[in-house]
Each structure stands twice: as C-alpha cells, then as structure tokens.
Amino acid sequence: MFAMTLWLGNTAYLYISVAFAQMLKAIMPVAVFILGVAAGLEMMSCRMLLIMSIISFGVLVASYGELNINWIGVVYQMGGVVGEALRLIFMELLVKRKGIKLNPISLMYYVSPCSAICLFVPWIFLEKSKMDGNGPWNFHFVVLTLNSLCTFALNLSVFLVISHTSALTIRVAGVVKDWVVVLVSALLFADTKLTIINLFGYAIAIAGVAAYNNHKLKKEASKVVTTETPGDAESIPLVSQGNTNTER
C-alpha cells in the first residue's frame, strides 16, 4: 500500500494541478474513517461523520475552480487516496492492535525494502524504457539525497503520530499540511493565485480540524473519569491524544 500511494499519487501530478489534487484528497478523512469503522479502529457516530464532511467540504470549496480536468490524473489520484487510506489502517493494526512492539525505525526497516521491491517491478515495465529513450541517466545526487532525507523525516513523523494517536488523526493533520502547501506555493509560484473562495474554504477545513480535536479531548477526558474509582488513593490518567493532535 505504501508503494501504491507513492506511485499513483506522484504520477497524478503529471496530469493534474496541485490545487485539483488537494480537492481530490479532501475525501481522505472520510475514507479513513469509514475504513477505520470497518476495521474496528473507529466508532461510527453522526457527529464524527459531520466533522469529516465539514473538513472535506472546506477543502473542496478551497480547490473549487479547476477547469482543466484530466481524467487519467483523476484515476491515478483516487488510486493513491485508496492506497493511502489502506496503508494508514494497516499501520495502525500492525502497531497498536496486534501487540507487535516495533519502534518507528524498526518498522521502516521492514516496510521500506518491501515498498522498494513493489515499486521496482512496475518501474521495469512502465518507466525504464522511457528513461532509456531519453539518453543517459543523469541524477542530481545532492538534490536526490536531500529529497530522500526529507522523505525519511516525513515517514518517521507519520509512524510516530500513528503510534501515539490514530490513522484518522494523521489524515486530519494532513488537511493542515495541504493548507500550508497551497499557501507556500502561492508565495513561490506566480501561477498560483489565492482567492477569497480559497481562503474561505480552508477556514472551513481548519474549523473542522478544531472540532475534531475538541471531540477527541472530550472523549479522552471521559475515559479518565471512568477509570477513577472511590477506593483509589491516586488515579493514573490515560495518555491524552488531544494534546498530540493539537500540537501536530
């Protein structure tokens, strides 16, 4: 699933714009929530569905206005969305629900080689011939090394967040990341223009993130109250996910 996410998600950028890609990614929180409920990782509730819908609607509004729709890019991006959702669910099942004690570095030690093999096979049939046709391969090793380090840091942070919270949390935090990506791209690239609709849509998305964090805080607080008994001289509170979500 990790290889599928990398391959399909990155290929989509060859056909569609960054803004339209973010619009398609807006359904990710809902997809992860539904898959999480099916896997027994999340509890179905109307309130959570409403929060997920608000977040998705906010990003949809912010990305509204894409005119040059390439359906090949849409298929690639939606495939990447499915792969990402399944990857996050499987990660949570592996780290939190199966009792396997793997720290993030050990987990990447096993996942990365498998992902490399899964990417190597389609590369031989789909991309190698195109690269050979463009002449000798010319890699910028400094840029490639820096890119690899950034990717390693990103994957490590994702594993850490999932191990301390949930797959749904990382996707909600991803909405904030997408918001920052659009803002930074507007500063770096002249062809990216932000409008009132863009800012309004992202304001809705951030409001959904705040509602989610508030919901998780209340849920964790109720767990702490439930674990307290009159006979206890001292109660040990559960680890709150709310602070982690807020800081993320």
Side-chain angles (χ1 to χ4, degrees):
M1 292 300 102
F2 193 22
M4 177 179 173
T5 300
L6 294 174
W7 175 31
L8 299 181
N10 289 332
T11 304
Y13 285 105
L14 299 176
Y15 301 94
I16 59 178
S17 65
V18 173
F20 189 50
Q22 304 312 313
M23 182 178 71
L24 295 177
K25 288 179 182 179
I27 65 172
M28 180 68 74
V30 178
V32 174
F33 178 70
I34 293 175
L35 290 174
V37 171
L41 302 178
E42 300 288 344
M43 295 296 296
M44 176 67 73
S45 68
C46 294
R47 183 174 183 180
M48 285 299 295
L49 285 175
L50 177 61
I51 292 174
M52 295 299 102
S53 299
I54 291 175
I55 296 173
S56 298
F57 176 73
V59 181
L60 282 172
V61 171
S63 303
Y64 177 75
E66 176 67 27
L67 299 177
N68 301 319
I69 299 179
N70 187 307
W71 291 107
I72 296 178
V74 171
V75 172
Y76 275 120
Q77 185 61 63
M78 294 307 298
V81 167
V82 173
E84 176 74 358
L86 291 174
R87 181 182 74 88
L88 293 172
I89 294 298
F90 291 149
M91 281 295 303
E92 188 168 350
L93 287 172
L94 175 65
V95 175
K96 301 181 67 174
R97 297 301 177 94
K98 294 299 184 181
I100 301 176
K101 302 301 182 181
L102 289 176
N103 59 50
I105 299 296
S106 299
L107 197 56
M108 292 181 66
Y109 175 80
Y110 291 107
V111 171
S112 296
C114 295
S115 300
I117 295 174
C118 292
L119 287 172
F120 181 74
V121 174
W123 171 79
I124 294 177
F125 297 99
L126 299 176
E127 295 185 353
K128 184 178 183 298
S129 59
K130 296 180 181 179
M131 296 177 65
D132 291 336
N134 293 329
W137 297 0
N138 183 21
F139 293 112
H140 300 280
F141 288 101
V142 175
V143 176
L144 184 62
T145 301
L146 292 176
N147 183 278
S148 300
L149 290 174
C150 290
T151 304
F152 175 80
L154 173 63
N155 294 333
L156 178 60
S157 65
V158 169
F159 291 139
L160 287 172
V161 172
I162 293 176
S163 64
H164 287 83
T165 56
S166 68
L168 184 60
T169 300
I170 193 64
R171 284 319 312 164
V172 174
V175 175
V176 180
K177 180 212 68 176
D178 294 337
W179 180 71
V180 173
V181 167
V182 172
L183 289 179
V184 173
S185 64
L187 297 175
L188 297 178
F189 305 108
D191 58 343
T192 303
K193 303 294 182 182
L194 291 180
T195 64
I196 298 298
I197 296 178
N198 295 137
L199 297 177
F200 178 70
Y202 277 103
I204 295 176
I206 295 302
V209 173
Y212 171 77
N213 287 334
N214 182 61
H215 176 77
K216 297 296 285 187
L217 279 171
K218 290 182 178 180
K219 185 177 180 180
E220 290 302 319
S222 63
K223 287 183 179 179
V224 173
V225 173
T226 303
T227 55
E228 292 178 351
T229 59
D232 292 336
E234 230 181 284
S235 64
I236 302 176
L238 296 176
V239 179
S240 173
Q241 295 181 355
N243 293 337
T244 304
N245 295 343
T246 304
E247 292 173 1
R248 180 67 177 87

